[in-house]
Amino acid sequence: MEEILRVENLRKTFQLSQKQQKLEHTREKKRVAVDGISFSAYRGEVFGLLGPNGAGKTTTLRILASLIRPDEGDAWVQGCSVCHEPGKVREKIGFLTSELKLEDFFTPNYLFDFFSQLHSVEPQVREQRKKELFHTFGIENFAEVKVANLSTGMKQKVSLVISIVHDPDFIIFDEPTNGLDVLTAKVVTDFLLDLKRRGKSILLSTHIFSLAESICDRVGIIINGKMILCDTLQQVTNGDTLENRFFQLYNAYAQETGGEQV
Amino acid sequence: MNRKKSPGSGAGGRNVWTIMKKEFARFFGDKKLVFTTLLLPGLLIYAVYSFMGEGITRQFSPDEENPPVIYGENMPASVQTILDQTSLPWQETQDAEAVKEEIREKTADLLLVFPEDFDRQVEAYQTSEEPAPEIQIFFNSSQSSSQSAYTQIRELLDQYETGLANKFDVNRSQETGEPFDLATKEDTTAQVFSMLLPLLLMVFLFSGCMAVVPESIAGEKERGTIATLLVTPVRRWELAVGKILSLSIIALLSGISSFAGTILSLPKLMGAAADSMSASVYGISEYLLLLGLVLSTVLVLTALMAIISSFAKSVKEAGTAVTPLMIVVMFLAITSMMGGGPAQDVLLYMIPLYNTVQSMVSIFSLQYSMVCVGVAIVSNLICSVLLAYVVTRLFSSEKVMFTR
């Protein structure tokens, strides 16, 4: 199998402001968000990162998208280092997270063209791709409506479409169905499956076990910034449900570290 | 690991242009924003300055349609003759107290009270041993027509008094049209424009930048839309340069709108003095130099505000954080009003923003040196490049871009 992503010993620490220290009732000035994470993802597979809120999933994905730099370690996307070749990495990936917003003033049509130009997509290819994606997500009728006037679901669909204007081989989705109604979530899930069928590689973070079970080939479970387990879905579940396995692993980790079990 | 040729390589200029087009589309696509940033400042300045000018002119010139109500008690023949030569109507009164009451109630404007044999007393008055005959003028300073009438009557009587003791005349032939003030139209224009316009232009340019830069940088940070740009292959310098150039052009247009409003309203603001001034005393070379200077200044201001806005978490915070810069710019701009002409030392033209003010003073006063103005423009451009580099670094900093 061709390795499309290799992550080696990623570590990321954040300084806590006084305000954050107060909010989190801690005197620690630093917080380790990602603590020596290593894993690989392969071409054509969907890799799911699972973990509770604050486990370090989003930080890991932001490092892989070259938005932030790791303190230690490195990762390679199709051979390009996120630390040393961030520009090349950004050309090769599609990245969707709820943190990334679209400008309310513009229409989906304008934004698609704008981001296509930034990704150096040829005009003819752009028009063809726009037609297909807008049709798939039912955006055609809203193509000239300003983002400000779109529903939350439609905004998420537009964000998703914008993140793949350049038809990347490797796509990173951070909680792609978060906050969506069931119908829109279904459209997004079906699209992820379609991408998988088309041979795209996907790295997905989610805490929705059913979504992970339905589309992931392999999963990694992150707790407190550490990769607790990383294997094929079959190996991880071992005949049980993913949810049960997750809680077993979580409680075992909590027992080991003196944390609170659930 | 397989490697592919970067599709975005060599697309530097194109990405800068793409970012600029987006900024222009954002600005010019919003009619309200265009109106409030480009048209309104010019229109408001024109309206306010014209209104101010008319108000000032009216304050100091006689109102032909509504002449003042003037009364005189014991009006002597000599003063009657003087008044009859003016457009000031007057009427005799025997009841001074009643007229004073009317002036208090603002139904009359002025009362002149002369001694009964004023003309004879004036003729007999020889030395300063005895008090001179007194003319009493009652008026109401809270009434503009009364104040105006007082000023005119006072001036007429002063002229009459000067005429009585006439030993010599100064510039009498001015009345026949002989010019004594040898200042040319260029000189007068240069003097007034070089004092007023550098300050006003700096204010307009700063306001133009203020209207667009915090919104475009801190606003995008606040709304999370800049992160969407940062995850694309666009390089940080392309983003910084694209934003600085497009915002500078918009700010420049806003500054030009305000400047046009000022120039058009200046004749009205200056009243009668405007006859001896004209913006046409400046030639194409002066206007081109001014344009180059203004453009380089806008680049510096935009880049400075971009840096401040990058650190801000919201547009509101950026607006507050820009205040110290505003104070510095205003302080530098006020140096144009201190007189003494433009700075002579060419080294001073290397100090960004200060060089702009001094160069403007030199251009408007028609005493400019191409070397000094050239140094100022080049210095501002170099400063802009350095500041753009700082903006690029800030766009690359996760601490600055993603701290909320």
Side-chain angles (χ1 to χ4, degrees):
Chain A
M1 279 200 292
E2 185 194 341
E3 193 180 50
I4 200 154
L5 168 73
R6 191 170 85 229
V7 179
E8 277 185 9
N9 196 31
L10 279 190
R11 186 179 164 85
K12 181 70 183 175
T13 308
F14 290 115
Q15 297 277 346
L16 289 182
S17 65
Q18 285 188 332
K19 193 177 165 188
Q20 285 170 313
Q21 284 175 307
K22 260 185 191 174
L23 281 171
E24 297 181 20
H25 305 290
T26 179
R27 286 186 178 180
E28 288 174 14
K29 290 186 176 173
K30 285 183 177 180
R31 161 143 308 158
V32 180
V34 176
D35 194 1
I37 282 179
S38 301
F39 65 95
S40 291
Y42 301 95
R43 185 172 289 279
E45 76 169 16
V46 178
F47 188 101
L49 271 184
L50 303 176
N53 287 342
K57 303 188 299 288
T58 298
T59 304
T60 305
L61 299 190
R62 286 169 72 182
I63 292 171
L64 298 181
S66 77
L67 274 177
I68 58 175
R69 282 177 70 88
D71 300 333
E72 288 174 30
D74 201 348
W76 292 264
V77 177
Q78 290 179 271
C80 298
S81 158
V82 295
C83 293
H84 303 106
E85 301 160 289
K88 284 185 179 174
V89 169
R90 285 194 285 267
E91 284 166 8
K92 292 176 185 298
I93 62 162
F95 183 55
L96 176 69
T97 163
S98 57
E99 280 178 310
L100 305 184
K101 308 281 187 204
L102 299 174
E103 280 201 61
D104 280 351
F105 179 80
F106 293 115
T107 64
N109 195 22
Y110 181 89
L111 288 170
F112 193 95
D113 291 351
F114 172 66
F115 283 99
S116 294
Q117 283 171 43
L118 292 183
H119 280 283
S120 307
V121 179
E122 293 299 323
Q124 290 144 332
V125 178
R126 177 215 307 166
E127 288 308 313
Q128 181 62 28
R129 196 170 292 156
K130 181 161 61 177
K131 202 174 165 187
E132 285 170 15
L133 288 170
F134 278 21
H135 176 72
T136 303
F137 287 95
I139 300 172
E140 299 131 310
N141 294 335
F142 301 91
E144 294 301 336
V145 177
K146 283 186 179 176
V147 170
N149 300 325
L150 296 176
S151 65
T152 308
M154 190 55 73
K155 278 182 190 170
Q156 180 72 346
K157 286 180 186 175
V158 175
S159 295
L160 200 154
V161 164
I162 297 293
S163 71
I164 53 170
V165 286
H166 52 310
D167 196 22
D169 284 339
F170 182 53
I171 309 156
I172 301 171
F173 290 121
D174 186 14
E175 310 276 8
T177 56
N178 220 10
L180 298 181
D181 66 85
V182 285
L183 294 176
T184 314
K186 174 82 167 62
V187 173
V188 173
T189 308
D190 287 348
F191 183 68
L192 295 180
L193 285 168
D194 184 49
L195 287 174
K196 183 182 172 180
R197 269 193 295 275
R198 282 158 50 196
K200 302 290 182 188
S201 313
I202 298 171
L203 175 60
L204 174 80
S205 98
T206 183
H207 52 245
I208 303 171
F209 296 108
S210 58
L211 176 69
E213 276 178 318
S214 64
I215 66 168
C216 290
D217 299 297
R218 297 195 313 125
V219 293
I221 292 173
I222 301 181
I223 300 171
N224 277 356
K226 287 182 165 49
M227 184 71 90
I228 302 299
L229 183 66
C230 178
D231 212 329
T232 61
L233 181 69
Q234 215 170 7
Q235 288 292 325
V236 170
T237 52
N238 197 22
D240 205 343
T241 63
L242 186 58
E243 189 171 358
N244 283 344
R245 280 294 292 147
F246 175 80
F247 286 117
Q248 284 167 17
L249 289 164
Y250 185 86
N251 286 333
Y253 178 82
Q255 197 172 19
E256 198 179 299
T257 56
E260 199 175 324
Q261 295 188 33
V262 288
Chain B
M1 299 268 170
N2 61 337
R3 285 167 190 268
K4 283 181 185 174
K5 192 173 181 279
S6 155
S9 57
R14 198 168 59 216
N15 279 345
V16 169
W17 178 232
T18 305
I19 298 290
M20 287 178 72
K21 278 195 296 184
K22 181 218 141 202
E23 291 296 332
F24 289 143
R26 171 72 188 86
F27 181 81
F28 291 106
D30 189 337
K31 285 174 189 162
K32 271 188 202 166
L33 202 58
V34 170
F35 180 72
T36 54
T37 312
L38 292 192
L39 300 176
L40 199 60
L43 289 174
L44 272 181
I45 286 167
Y46 178 77
V48 169
Y49 283 10
S50 300
F51 183 73
M52 274 170 62
E54 277 185 22
I56 293 166
T57 308
R58 201 175 298 154
Q59 184 81 19
F60 295 104
S61 52
D63 188 346
E64 303 285 343
E65 287 176 12
N66 301 298
V69 182
I70 298 173
Y71 289 94
E73 190 180 67
N74 305 323
M75 188 73 86
S78 57
V79 179
Q80 279 184 36
T81 312
I82 293 167
L83 284 180
D84 289 345
Q85 286 169 358
T86 70
S87 59
L88 292 169
W90 66 278
Q91 47 197 298
E92 187 69 43
T93 181
Q94 300 301 324
D95 189 354
E97 288 310 312
V99 174
K100 281 184 201 172
E101 193 53 38
E102 281 184 44
I103 293 171
R104 273 190 208 100
E105 290 171 4
K106 300 175 184 173
T107 51
D109 292 306
L110 190 120
L111 170 67
L112 286 156
V113 180
F114 292 87
E116 274 185 15
D117 50 351
F118 176 77
D119 281 341
R120 193 196 58 76
Q121 283 187 37
V122 167
E123 208 173 317
Y125 181 72
Q126 292 290 328
T127 65
S128 56
E129 286 169 10
E130 55 189 270
E134 183 189 10
I135 306 169
Q136 295 178 319
I137 308 174
F138 297 93
F139 70 107
N140 187 336
S141 62
S142 67
Q143 174 84 344
S144 61
S145 57
S146 179
Q147 175 70 51
S148 172
Y150 172 76
T151 309
Q152 290 175 70
I153 293 285
R154 184 75 202 255
E155 203 174 307
L156 287 171
L157 292 175
D158 282 344
Q159 281 175 6
Y160 175 49
E161 187 190 26
T162 309
L164 288 173
N166 196 330
K167 301 283 184 190
F168 59 85
D169 290 329
V170 177
N171 287 350
R172 187 178 58 217
S173 47
Q174 192 165 18
E175 290 163 14
T176 58
E178 187 173 343
F180 288 94
D181 181 359
L182 300 178
T184 60
K185 206 168 197 174
E186 281 82 0
D187 294 334
T188 314
T189 306
Q191 189 193 17
V192 175
F193 278 27
S194 65
M195 266 187 86
L196 273 179
L197 294 187
L199 171 71
L200 292 175
L201 255 174
M202 287 301 275
V203 172
F204 299 151
L205 296 179
F206 189 90
S207 306
C209 294
M210 190 69 197
V212 290
V213 181
E215 163 59 29
S216 177
I217 310 275
E220 283 223 39
K221 241 182 100 177
E222 188 179 4
R223 295 188 294 271
T225 52
I226 204 156
T228 316
L229 281 174
L230 294 175
V231 84
T232 66
V234 68
R235 278 164 284 188
R236 295 343 186 207
W237 73 263
E238 293 169 339
L239 187 58
V241 171
K243 278 197 174 276
I244 289 172
L245 284 180
S246 52
L247 296 175
S248 295
I249 290 170
I250 296 168
L252 183 69
L253 291 176
S254 174
I256 286 174
S257 156
S258 305
F259 186 65
T262 309
I263 291 289
L264 292 174
S265 61
L266 215 54
K268 290 189 177 179
L269 184 66
M270 302 304 292
D275 292 343
S276 54
M277 286 188 301
S278 168
S280 63
V281 302
Y282 302 110
I284 190 78
S285 55
E286 280 84 22
Y287 282 112
L288 283 176
L289 275 178
L290 197 62
L291 184 68
L293 192 66
V294 163
L295 187 57
S296 69
T297 307
V298 169
L299 284 169
V300 174
L301 286 173
T302 303
L304 278 171
M305 275 191 211
I307 290 172
I308 294 169
S309 302
S310 298
F311 283 106
K313 290 171 190 158
S314 64
V315 179
K316 197 177 165 189
E317 195 181 308
T320 311
V322 161
T323 308
L325 177 64
M326 186 180 74
I327 293 168
V328 171
V329 171
M330 293 306 112
F331 174 76
L332 294 174
I334 285 169
T335 59
S336 72
M337 302 191 83
M338 290 176 178
Q344 299 300 315
D345 190 344
V346 73
L347 289 175
L348 291 173
Y349 288 83
M350 289 182 180
I351 305 169
L353 300 180
Y354 177 73
N355 58 14
T356 304
V357 177
Q358 291 307 311
S359 298
M360 281 184 192
V361 172
S362 70
I363 292 171
F364 284 124
S365 62
L366 295 166
Q367 296 171 19
Y368 62 91
S369 129
M370 289 295 274
V371 174
C372 289
V373 179
V375 166
I377 292 173
V378 171
S379 165
N380 282 344
L381 290 176
I382 292 171
C383 179
S384 308
V385 172
L386 293 175
L387 292 171
Y389 175 73
V390 176
V391 177
T392 303
R393 300 290 299 170
L394 292 175
F395 282 175
S396 306
S397 163
E398 62 182 71
K399 213 171 184 178
V400 174
M401 283 291 112
F402 299 109
T403 303
R404 298 230 174 149

